[in-house]
Amino acid sequence: MSYDKELDAAKNAASLAARLCQKVQKALLQADVQSKSDKSPVTVADYGSQAVVSVVLQKELGSASFSLVAEEDSGDLRNEKGKATLQRIMKLVNETLASDGTYGTAPLSEEDVLAAIDSGRSEGGPSGQHWVLDPIDGTKGFLRGDQYAIALGLLDEGKVVLGVLSCPNLPLSSLASHNLQDDQDKVGCLFYAQVGSGTYMQSLDGSTPIKVHVTDLDNPEEASFFESFEAAHSLHDLSSLIAKKLGVKAPPVRIDSQAKYGALSRGDGAIYLRFPHKGYREKIWDHAAGYLVVAEAGGVVSDAAGNPLDFSKGRYLDLHEGIIVTNQKLMPALLKAVKESLNEKASSL
Ligand SMILES: Nc1ncnc2c1ncn2[C@@H]1O[C@H](COP(=O)(O)O)[C@@H](O)[C@H]1OP(=O)(O)O
Ligand SMILES: [Mg+2]
Ligand SMILES: [Mg+2]
Ligand SMILES: [Mg+2]
């Protein structure tokens, strides 16, 4: 089965949402110190991005059987305190849709924007088609002016069949060979994958797509690994123990959001390690798009026990300990190092 029409719609949606986020981030970075501590811009961009994606998908594909599993809901915007924020979101969404020319016919009302955001309340599950959206993945990175992603996937009968990652601040050239003279200012990548068709990357402003592959490295000593920038999101100590056991020599590359999956899919690094603190439950929108982008580029994504991720269980992923990503050659050694490290950690408690 081909998902070409859905893929075009998803690319348009994620690109337009990126335009909205870029506008907010630019204003945020130009703001004075006092207003920088105000966290509301990210709220406005989160909701705005979700509304734009929802509107574009429904305009392109029809709303009859539309189902969206997304991070945000409009609860806080419906009370008196949320009124001003809702006004800001509505203005931003209308400006963004109008800037494209295709979607901005009649401006959306407050109610339209709220309804677009709330269309993301689906529970997903093993049957039918469900879109899966993180409107801004890596909000901490967004606030810092660093990496973030708009991550959009499509589930069909419980399997991820499309993945689109819009990474407005990711350099087009490899993070590994970052050359200061060359391409330094060219940022903004759109990664996309359709099941069975490989992974492609183009610039967010619309260059010709190129097919990408994960690294074919088989010597862990030459590998580098990605992990969260935020220590609160992933156990850095555990990652360094695993890396040491594997023989990895390079220091960790710490970046925010699913931009890590994008970078891995084009071979910028060889491994991604993610071990959240105890009690944290991973959501499907934090991995669906990134998973397919890496898998179609030849990579392997599993939990710490080597099980594939199951996106058919609703809004959450049930996992053993964490998520590990690498190529097929390195996975056996990585799994061994992960198991040994987890055992060591458990016996030292
Ligand atoms: N305490 C936490 N532990 C792990 N992940 C978290 C935590 N809080 C938020 N996240 C989510 O982790 C992802 C980003 O992680 P990282 O950038 O470290 O890879 C985001 O999806 C972020 O949510 P959000 O989408 O709201 O930014
Ligand atoms: Mg997220
Ligand atoms: Mg988010
Ligand atoms: Mg969030």
Side-chain angles (χ1 to χ4, degrees):
M1 177 167 177
S2 156
Y3 300 92
D4 290 347
K5 194 164 161 246
E6 287 81 1
L7 178 60
D8 282 344
K11 284 169 68 183
N12 287 344
S15 304
L16 209 52
R19 206 181 286 177
L20 179 148
C21 295
Q22 279 169 297
K23 192 171 175 181
V24 178
Q25 198 186 46
K26 202 167 157 209
L28 177 74
L29 297 176
Q30 282 166 354
D32 56 44
V33 178
Q34 198 188 347
S35 45
K36 269 186 184 152
S37 62
D38 169 17
K39 299 286 183 280
S40 68
V42 72
T43 314
V44 171
D46 256 333
Y47 287 122
S49 169
Q50 183 159 322
V52 164
V53 170
S54 166
V55 167
V56 170
L57 290 178
Q58 291 186 73
K59 286 205 180 210
E60 295 259 355
L61 304 166
S63 48
S65 60
F66 183 68
S67 168
L68 175 68
V69 185
E71 184 178 359
E72 312 301 338
D73 71 67
S74 77
D76 292 343
L77 299 174
R78 288 184 184 269
N79 55 38
E80 222 15 68
K81 269 166 119 184
K83 267 230 159 298
T85 310
L86 177 58
Q87 281 288 325
R88 283 168 72 192
I89 297 165
M90 185 179 71
K91 185 163 173 279
L92 197 60
V93 169
N94 280 325
E95 281 168 5
T96 306
L97 292 170
S99 75
D100 182 81
T102 324
Y103 307 109
T105 38
L108 303 180
S109 65
E110 287 185 6
E111 239 351 282
D112 294 334
V113 171
L114 290 171
I117 294 167
D118 282 339
S119 67
R121 282 191 168 156
S122 167
E123 291 292 320
S127 56
Q129 292 195 351
H130 307 279
W131 290 96
V132 181
L133 171 69
D134 194 334
I136 293 187
D137 182 46
T139 44
K140 292 266 169 60
F142 180 86
L143 281 166
R144 249 188 276 110
D146 284 343
Q147 297 303 326
Y148 66 98
I150 294 99
L152 179 59
L154 177 65
L155 297 182
D156 194 356
E157 303 296 306
K159 297 266 186 273
V160 188
V161 294
L162 282 185
V164 176
L165 282 182
S166 178
C167 306
N169 288 340
L170 192 69
L172 283 161
S173 58
S174 169
L175 297 175
S177 62
H178 221 68
N179 182 335
L180 290 178
Q181 272 90 50
D182 182 35
D183 267 351
Q184 197 207 5
D185 297 318
K186 285 198 191 145
V187 296
C189 302
L190 184 70
F191 296 91
Y192 60 91
Q194 182 175 162
V195 68
S197 303
T199 298
Y200 292 82
M201 183 191 80
Q202 65 186 73
S203 70
L204 261 178
D205 56 23
S207 63
T208 310
I210 52 163
K211 198 163 191 179
V212 294
H213 297 278
V214 296
T215 176
D216 60 2
L217 211 77
D218 56 5
N219 180 359
E221 287 191 16
E222 292 165 28
S224 67
F225 76 96
F226 291 117
E227 65 180 347
S228 289
F229 185 93
E230 298 285 334
H233 292 177
S234 191
L235 299 166
H236 287 170
D237 287 359
L238 184 57
S239 303
S240 50
L241 181 61
I242 295 164
K244 200 168 146 217
K245 279 192 190 300
L246 252 181
V248 171
K249 292 214 162 73
V253 179
R254 293 183 174 145
I255 60 174
D256 303 280
S257 84
Q258 286 175 70
K260 290 187 277 296
Y261 283 106
L264 209 82
S265 77
R266 65 181 190 195
D268 288 11
I271 298 164
Y272 170 20
L273 301 172
R274 182 177 187 83
F275 291 91
H277 291 258
K278 212 170 174 47
Y280 183 78
R281 289 180 79 191
E282 294 281 8
K283 328 300 185 301
I284 57 171
W285 53 78
D286 283 323
H287 301 282
Y291 150 74
L292 197 69
V293 161
V294 163
E296 284 296 322
V300 192
V301 182
S302 79
D303 72 7
N307 305 306
L309 306 189
D310 182 353
F311 292 94
S312 75
K313 293 269 162 57
R315 293 170 75 88
Y316 292 94
L317 286 169
D318 285 330
L319 291 173
H320 181 77
E321 300 273 0
I323 295 178
I324 59 176
V325 187
T326 188
N327 67 12
Q328 305 201 358
K329 291 177 188 163
L330 288 170
M331 191 47 112
L334 176 59
L335 262 176
K336 185 165 169 281
V338 166
K339 275 181 194 156
E340 285 171 12
S341 303
L342 286 171
N343 285 341
E344 223 166 87
K345 186 175 152 247
S347 60
S348 71
L349 288 177

